[in-house]
């Protein structure tokens, strides 16, 4: 690449002060575009083929979830937040329930913590599979005939959805976590199914790597969209984006929740900071998650799966004071929940509930990263950030 | 005065030609049947995928279900598509774009509302930023309930649409099956796209909005935009 | 350092330089500081104590509480909680709140953390709290022409926006 790219572009660039001779063109991208992964809009100012300034617009899927949660009781919120990050709903449920447990001081039995960890790791594999399929499709027909990787990844993702359907009865939005534990216990024969499915996927991951070890894929990802470690920290990027920039940070190891303090989680990092590094980190995380889930699923201790009985009545969850922040590591990074207690329904609702969306932080990197790249690289960069708009806009 | 057009004589040079040439009417009928068969079995889809239903839509187009075998190719552009599948919540910020994309699609076109959010807004229905069902913006032919519907249900909906297309092209009317009590319960503030009172309502509401926008104090404006104030405005307009 | 050690170091820092009372127990709502310490605290934490990752900002709206008998009244105001994090093992979240009056503005953290840009825009959009010296304080989630701030307590959830709803 011959283009000059500074470490960090100026997002507040005044276009009048940019070369007056330049004949700038405005290109609108989105909000409805197959490569925007939802509804997201970027207005790009182009000098020839090179992006000079990028102005993103979010909020096309703002559904007012935080306002809605202020009207519901703690036990009613779980199925609502399922729809935020619709590629990894298990983490959404767990994030709000962990925050409510911290607020109300509810203990979670050890068996429920095992189940939460296992379904979380399996969900991480499913989420990364979906990302890999759509990312390879975004990069176009050059790789293995266009939609091959997409079709392969969805084939394996369906197997994971079958696992969850066996466990919870639902294919997509599970509503399995609840305040103080889980609703669904592991059914008979589920562990064998997990071993069979994940063992199968572990072999298939090698196939994906083989097909994506391809000169065109490398040319379109290596050196494209470099995010330096300092910029990633300043922007609050988390998860694979941060680790691909070389920062060794993973909440599963560094601020453990569930039973992660008893596990030896290998944190996958890479130094490039470009799209290829983000791809490598996610593929390695898939292998690691498969390893963790397979190691745990045979050793789930017996016991209750929910504190005493599932909490359904608001009278059990009244909290007057207190503000908590609880975070966990999702496939996209740190999903935090900030809850202020003491709201409607005589203190059985949160006064204010704020969800810290990793996707919104990821998207805020675009004006810093896009300038200096060509238009075709914009699709690769946006895809490599793995944004889920339902979570970013809420 | 309303004129019943069915009694008027239909005159067209092509019609005269068909009447004179023996056997041509038979041929055109056969060609028409062939065209109908072709239209029915090559419904190209424009996915208006905004949220969770979009993922299930992708699953329907992917390996296990493989919707393509019904002749439904997914196109990323409205100009080459026959069917708009609205999959996901449509917000106030997105609705003008959906309308604009719908207007860009060439006739004949159909719309499928996939999932509860596109049908009625689901539990987001009463939230300030969500429109209560896509049929308040564009006319909908097939509703597929579910949150989100399974890929198989989406295929069932597409089969229902094929049936409807065949009936409509054959000149038959397909009456909507709406229970009156349900319709009353889910009636949105602004009429549905096929509601005859819609034009009048929207004109009135736009006038009301323009009037309230003249207010200088934001707080007053918020008050003016709340449903109670709007209801008062309705009475004024009526009088 | 472990998380607990960092927590106690954070409390020590607040007591030594940022006006926290010596014997104050950590309240369940988190530490409430004066607004003038906000920017200086964030800079100290970032440059000297390793809180290099920007986590989030949470604004909340508190309507007026009229005085009733012995209970003191409280005028309408905002509260803004800020969260910063250290990276690596023993990660800790520094969390503090400041109180902003309705016509006041909080110092923006954009000069320190680029990620504060969108988060503060979002809170301005939804809650209405203003951030001083923010380079680009526009609405993020709602359309530009939107009236009102949806997450305020006096904003009805079913507010219409004609002709769309």
């Amino acid at each position: 690449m011959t283009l000059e790219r500074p470490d960090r572009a100026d997002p507040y660039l005044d276009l009048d002060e940019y070369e007056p001779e330049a004949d700038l063109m405005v290109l609108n991208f989105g909000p409805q575009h197959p490569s925007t992964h939802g509804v997201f809009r970027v207005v790009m100012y182009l000098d020839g083929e090179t992006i000079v300034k990028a102005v993103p617009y979010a909020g096309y899927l703002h559904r007012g979830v935080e306002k809605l949660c202020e009207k519901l009781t703690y036990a009613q919120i779980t199925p609502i937040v399922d729809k935020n990050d619709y590629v990894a709903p298990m983490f959404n449920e767990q994030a709000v329930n962990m925050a409510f447990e911290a607020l109300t001081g509810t203990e979670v039995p050890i068996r429920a913590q095992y189940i939460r960890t296992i379904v979380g790791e399996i969900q991480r594999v499913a989420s990364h599979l979906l990302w890999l399929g759509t990312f390879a499709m975004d990069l176009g027909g050059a790789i293995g005939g266009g939609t091959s990787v997409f079709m392969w990844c969805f084939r394996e993702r369906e197997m994971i959805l079958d696992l969850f359907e066996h466990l919870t009865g639902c294919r997509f939005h599970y509503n399995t976590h609840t305040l103080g534990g889980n609703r669904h216990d592991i059914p008979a024969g589920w562990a064998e199914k997990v071993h069979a499915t994940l063992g199968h996927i572990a072999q298939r991951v090698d196939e994906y790597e083989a097909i994506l070890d391809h000169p065109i894929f490398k040319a379109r990802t290596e050196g494209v969209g470099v995010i330096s470690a300092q910029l990633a920290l300043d922007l609050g990027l988390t998860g694979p984006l941060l680790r691909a920039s070389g920062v060794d940070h993973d909440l599963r190891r560094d601020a453990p929740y569930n039973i992660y303090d008893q596990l030896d989680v290998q944190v996958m990092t890479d130094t490039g900071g470009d799209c290829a590094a983000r791809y490598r980190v996610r593929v390695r995380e898939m292998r690691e998650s498969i390893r963790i889930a397979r190691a745990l699923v045979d050793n789930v201790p017996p016991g209750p799966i929910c504190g005493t009985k599932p909490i359904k009545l608001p009278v059990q969850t009244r909290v007057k004071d207190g503000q908590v922040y609880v975070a966990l590591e999702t496939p996209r990074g740190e999903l935090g929940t900030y809850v202020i207690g003491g709201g409607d329904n005589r203190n059985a609702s949160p006064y204010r509930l704020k969800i810290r969306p990793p996707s919104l932080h990821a998207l805020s990197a675009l004006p810093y990263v896009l300038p200096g790249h060509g238009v075709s690289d914009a699709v690769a960069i946006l895809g490599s950030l793995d944004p889920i708009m339902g979570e970013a806009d809420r | 005065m309303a004129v019943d057009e069915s009694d008027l004589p239909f005159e067209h040079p092509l019609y005269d030609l068909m009447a004179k040439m023996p056997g041509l009417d038979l041929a055109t009928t056969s060609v028409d049947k062939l065209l109908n068969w072709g239209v029915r079995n090559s419904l190209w889809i424009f996915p208006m995928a905004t949220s969770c239903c979009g993922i299930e839509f992708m699953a329907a187009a992917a390996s296990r279900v493989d919707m393509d075998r019904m002749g439904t190719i997914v196109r990323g552009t409205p100009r080459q598509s026959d069917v708009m599948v609205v999959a996901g919540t449509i917000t106030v910020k997105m609705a003008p774009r959906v309308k604009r994309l719908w207007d860009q699609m060439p006739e004949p076109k159909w719309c499928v509302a996939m999932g509860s959010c596109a049908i009625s807004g689901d539990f987001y229905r009463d939230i300030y930023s969500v429109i209560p069902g896509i049929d308040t913006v564009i006319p909908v032919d097939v509703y597929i309930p579910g949150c989100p519907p399974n890929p198989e249900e989406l295929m069932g909906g597409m089969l229902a649409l094929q049936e409807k297309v065949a009936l409509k092209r054959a000149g038959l009317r397909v009456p909507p099956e709406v229970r009156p009590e349900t319709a009353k319960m889910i009636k949105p503030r602004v009429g549905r796209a096929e509601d005859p009172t819609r034009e009048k309502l929207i004109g009135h509401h736009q006038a009301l909005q323009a009037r309230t926008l003249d207010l200088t104090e934001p707080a007053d404006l918020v008050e003016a935009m709340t449903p109670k104030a709007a209801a008062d405005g309705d009475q004024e307009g009526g009088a | 350092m472990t998380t607990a050690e960092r927590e106690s170091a954070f409390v020590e820092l607040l007591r030594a330089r940022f006006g926290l009372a010596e014997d104050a127990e950590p309240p369940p709502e988190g530490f409430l500081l004066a607004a003038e310490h906000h920017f200086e605290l964030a800079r100290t934490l970032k440059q000297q104590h390793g809180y290099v990752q920007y986590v989030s900002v949470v604004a909340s709206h508190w309507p007026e509480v009229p005085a009733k008998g012995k209970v003191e009244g409280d005028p309408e105001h905002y509260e803004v909680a800020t969260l910063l994090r250290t990276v690596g093992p023993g990660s800790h979240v520094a969390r503090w709140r400041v109180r902003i009056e309705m016509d006041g503005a909080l110092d923006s953290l954009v000069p320190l953390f680029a990620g504060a840009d969108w988060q503060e825009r979002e809170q301005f959009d939804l809650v209405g709290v203003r951030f001083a010296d923010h380079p680009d304080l526009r609405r993020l989630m709602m359309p530009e022409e939107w009236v009102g701030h949806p997450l305020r307590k006096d904003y009805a959830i079913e507010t219409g926006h004609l002709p769309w709803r």
Side-chain angles (χ1 to χ4, degrees):
Chain A
M1 278 289 169
T2 52
L3 295 169
E4 287 259 333
R5 286 188 202 139
D7 171 48
R8 176 186 303 205
D10 177 17
Y12 313 110
L13 177 72
D14 187 357
L15 287 173
D16 292 338
E17 291 178 8
Y18 183 77
E19 275 182 74
E21 300 289 308
D23 187 14
L24 292 185
M25 191 179 106
V26 183
L27 180 69
N28 181 50
F29 177 67
Q32 208 291 327
H33 188 280
S35 300
T36 53
H37 291 236
V39 279
F40 182 64
R41 176 173 168 224
V42 191
V43 175
M44 293 184 275
Y45 297 87
L46 306 177
D47 184 358
E49 178 80 359
T50 313
I51 300 169
V52 173
K53 181 182 179 182
V55 185
Y57 292 87
Y60 289 95
L61 195 54
H62 176 70
R63 305 190 271 199
V65 173
E66 292 174 2
K67 185 84 174 174
L68 180 58
C69 288
E70 289 172 12
K71 306 288 173 198
L72 302 175
T73 62
Y74 292 108
Q76 289 174 326
I77 287 173
T78 311
I80 306 293
V81 296
D82 254 348
K83 279 87 180 169
N84 282 355
D85 182 355
Y86 39 79
V87 175
M90 286 286 186
F91 290 101
N92 294 275
E93 301 176 0
Q94 200 188 337
V96 289
N97 281 309
M98 274 167 61
F100 298 159
E101 282 151 12
L103 195 67
T104 56
T106 312
E107 286 281 323
V108 182
I110 186 77
R111 185 174 172 86
Q113 293 189 14
Y114 266 78
I115 296 176
R116 286 179 176 192
T117 312
I118 293 166
V119 295
E121 294 301 328
I122 297 175
Q123 182 76 82
R124 193 184 309 275
V125 178
S127 172
H128 283 339
L129 276 174
L130 190 134
W131 170 79
L132 184 60
T134 51
F135 182 57
M137 194 164 70
D138 285 349
L139 291 186
I143 308 145
T147 55
S148 292
V149 181
F150 173 76
M151 291 290 177
W152 288 9
C153 290
F154 265 79
R155 179 183 63 191
E156 271 72 77
R157 185 174 170 272
E158 291 284 337
M159 297 166 72
I160 291 184
L161 296 189
D162 283 350
L163 282 182
F164 286 147
E165 201 171 341
H166 190 184
L167 177 71
T168 67
C170 301
R171 184 184 139 83
F172 208 87
H173 295 313
Y174 309 108
N175 193 14
T176 179
H177 296 74
T178 182
L179 192 57
N182 281 39
R183 283 178 212 278
H184 304 102
D185 206 346
I186 294 181
W190 195 70
E192 290 78 46
K193 256 180 119 174
V194 170
H195 276 299
T197 304
L198 293 185
H200 187 69
I201 292 175
Q203 292 171 1
R204 291 287 169 84
V205 173
D206 298 339
E207 281 184 23
Y208 306 146
E209 278 198 318
I211 197 174
L212 291 177
D213 183 18
H214 190 282
I216 298 178
F217 184 76
K218 286 182 180 169
R220 292 206 57 188
T221 54
E222 280 178 2
V224 173
V226 178
I227 301 177
S228 68
Q230 186 58 49
L231 178 61
L233 287 169
D234 280 358
L235 283 170
L237 299 191
T238 45
L241 304 179
L242 184 65
R243 293 193 280 277
S245 297
V247 181
D248 191 9
H249 178 69
D250 189 324
L251 292 183
R252 290 178 289 169
R253 183 197 64 191
D254 299 334
Y257 52 95
N258 280 359
I259 52 163
Y260 282 113
D261 49 350
Q262 302 160 26
L263 299 178
D264 179 27
V265 181
Q266 298 290 319
V267 179
M268 301 300 169
T269 58
D270 207 294
T271 48
D274 53 359
C275 295
R278 298 196 267 279
Y279 154 73
R280 287 194 294 269
V281 166
R282 288 197 177 101
V283 169
R284 286 180 209 151
E285 279 189 6
M286 266 157 66
R287 291 216 178 85
E288 176 69 8
S289 291
I290 290 173
R291 186 187 70 78
I292 295 173
R294 292 188 70 176
L296 286 180
V297 76
D298 286 333
N299 304 318
V300 182
I305 55 164
C306 195
T308 48
K309 52 185 173 179
I311 294 169
K312 287 174 185 158
L313 296 174
V315 69
Q316 287 166 279
T317 54
R318 290 209 173 122
V319 181
K320 195 156 183 221
D321 296 320
Q323 303 188 4
V324 293
Y325 176 76
V326 175
L328 52 76
E329 182 83 19
T330 75
R332 269 155 285 282
E334 176 178 343
L335 176 65
T337 312
Y338 191 98
V339 189
I340 303 178
D344 287 357
N345 301 326
R346 290 186 291 161
N347 297 335
S349 299
Y351 182 83
R352 170 95 164 86
L353 183 139
K354 151 109 188 183
I355 294 162
R356 181 221 188 259
S359 293
L360 188 64
H361 286 261
L363 288 171
S364 71
L366 284 177
Y368 296 90
V369 180
L370 280 185
H373 289 84
V375 178
S376 58
D377 292 337
V379 175
I381 294 170
L382 183 56
S384 75
L385 294 177
D386 192 13
I388 298 297
M389 295 317 295
E391 176 192 63
D393 295 346
R394 304 183 302 292
Chain B
M1 198 180 82
V3 179
D4 191 1
E5 290 183 353
S6 58
D7 289 345
L8 296 178
F10 178 70
E11 285 183 15
H12 192 271
L14 204 65
Y15 186 74
D16 291 343
L17 187 74
M18 271 169 64
K20 279 179 200 157
M21 291 271 284
L24 192 63
D25 50 348
L26 207 68
T28 45
T29 317
S30 308
V31 168
D32 199 40
K33 274 187 181 164
L34 182 71
L35 280 177
N36 287 354
W37 175 83
V39 166
R40 197 171 74 235
N41 290 302
S42 65
L43 295 169
W44 288 16
I45 292 179
F46 174 62
M48 191 66 235
T50 57
S51 58
C52 337
C53 292
I55 304 293
E56 283 298 70
F57 182 87
M58 279 157 73
S63 19
R64 181 186 280 184
V65 181
D66 189 16
M67 210 166 55
D68 287 5
R69 62 201 152 122
M70 294 164 55
T72 56
I73 301 176
V74 179
R75 302 297 303 173
T77 162
R79 295 181 195 280
Q80 302 167 355
S81 313
D82 306 306
V83 184
M84 179 189 261
V85 175
V86 182
T89 323
I90 304 296
T91 59
V92 167
K93 202 170 174 179
M94 194 64 199
R97 276 86 181 170
V98 177
K99 180 86 174 84
R100 194 164 174 178
L101 288 164
W102 171 255
D103 292 343
Q104 286 178 3
M105 281 171 65
E107 294 277 358
K109 55 191 174 183
W110 296 274
C111 176
V112 173
M114 178 187 179
S116 317
C117 291
I119 294 173
S120 69
D122 204 359
F123 47 74
Y124 304 116
R125 178 185 175 80
D126 287 336
I127 295 179
Y128 51 90
S129 66
V130 177
I131 66 165
I134 190 61
D135 52 5
T136 61
V137 180
I138 56 180
V140 175
D141 292 284
V142 175
Y143 298 88
I144 308 174
C147 184
N150 282 353
E152 292 82 2
E153 291 175 48
L154 178 61
M155 279 190 73
M158 292 309 292
L159 288 171
L161 180 65
Q162 285 189 354
E163 208 175 301
K164 182 171 180 178
V165 169
L167 288 172
K168 274 212 157 178
R169 300 274 303 188
L172 298 170
R173 264 193 95 241
V174 186
E177 301 166 17
V178 182
R179 290 161 58 198
E181 58 269 35
T182 316
K184 192 181 167 193
M185 202 160 66
I186 62 175
K187 188 178 188 309
R189 227 168 125 215
V190 177
R192 299 188 186 280
E194 285 172 338
D195 190 345
T197 61
R198 174 185 165 83
E199 291 299 317
K200 197 178 147 216
L201 255 175
I202 285 192
H204 172 62
H205 283 315
Q206 277 174 341
L208 185 72
Q209 195 180 14
R211 208 160 65 220
T212 48
L213 277 174
D214 287 337
L215 298 174
T216 44
E217 278 296 307
D220 292 352
L221 200 46
V222 172
E223 198 181 331
M225 295 294 287
T226 47
K228 184 177 162 293
D232 294 343
D234 280 347
Q235 286 165 8
E236 272 179 39
Chain C
M1 279 168 91
T2 63
T3 307
E5 287 168 2
R6 284 189 209 272
E7 172 72 31
S8 54
F10 175 59
V11 177
E12 283 304 314
L13 178 72
L14 291 185
R15 282 187 182 141
R17 290 183 50 194
F18 297 100
L20 188 71
E22 279 295 327
D23 52 348
E25 284 290 310
E29 301 92 0
F31 304 108
L32 184 66
L33 303 179
E36 67 259 27
H37 292 314
H38 174 71
F39 188 86
E40 187 57 32
L41 174 59
R43 183 162 66 193
T44 312
L45 287 175
K46 183 187 180 188
Q47 291 173 352
Q48 296 171 15
H49 295 82
Y51 289 83
V52 287
Q53 190 182 48
Y54 185 78
V55 176
S56 200
V57 56
V58 185
S60 50
H61 173 242
W62 297 81
E64 184 183 0
V65 179
K68 194 196 280 182
K70 286 180 188 172
V71 183
E72 280 182 34
D74 198 6
E76 188 181 11
H77 64 281
Y78 299 115
E79 263 185 25
V80 182
T82 309
L83 300 98
L84 304 176
R85 188 186 270 285
T86 67
V87 294
S91 180
H92 175 243
V93 176
R95 173 155 75 89
W96 69 93
R97 301 179 295 143
V98 292
R99 178 188 165 120
I100 309 291
E101 300 308 321
M102 292 304 284
D103 52 353
L106 185 65
D107 292 334
S108 170
L109 290 188
V110 176
L112 291 175
F113 296 99
D117 184 350
W118 279 32
Q119 299 304 311
E120 289 175 355
R121 270 176 69 190
E122 189 199 350
Q123 297 306 306
F124 161 70
D125 181 0
L126 298 181
V127 185
V129 59
R130 297 200 158 267
F131 291 91
D133 302 329
H134 190 289
D136 188 21
L137 200 60
R138 289 179 290 129
R139 285 186 181 274
L140 181 67
M141 292 294 168
M142 309 310 297
E144 295 278 328
E145 74 277 6
W146 195 266
V147 178
H149 301 284
L151 283 188
R152 281 164 70 148
K153 289 289 169 182
D154 51 5
Y155 192 93
I157 189 168
E158 66 276 5
T159 304
H161 184 75
L162 296 167
W164 300 110
R165 64 159 280 121

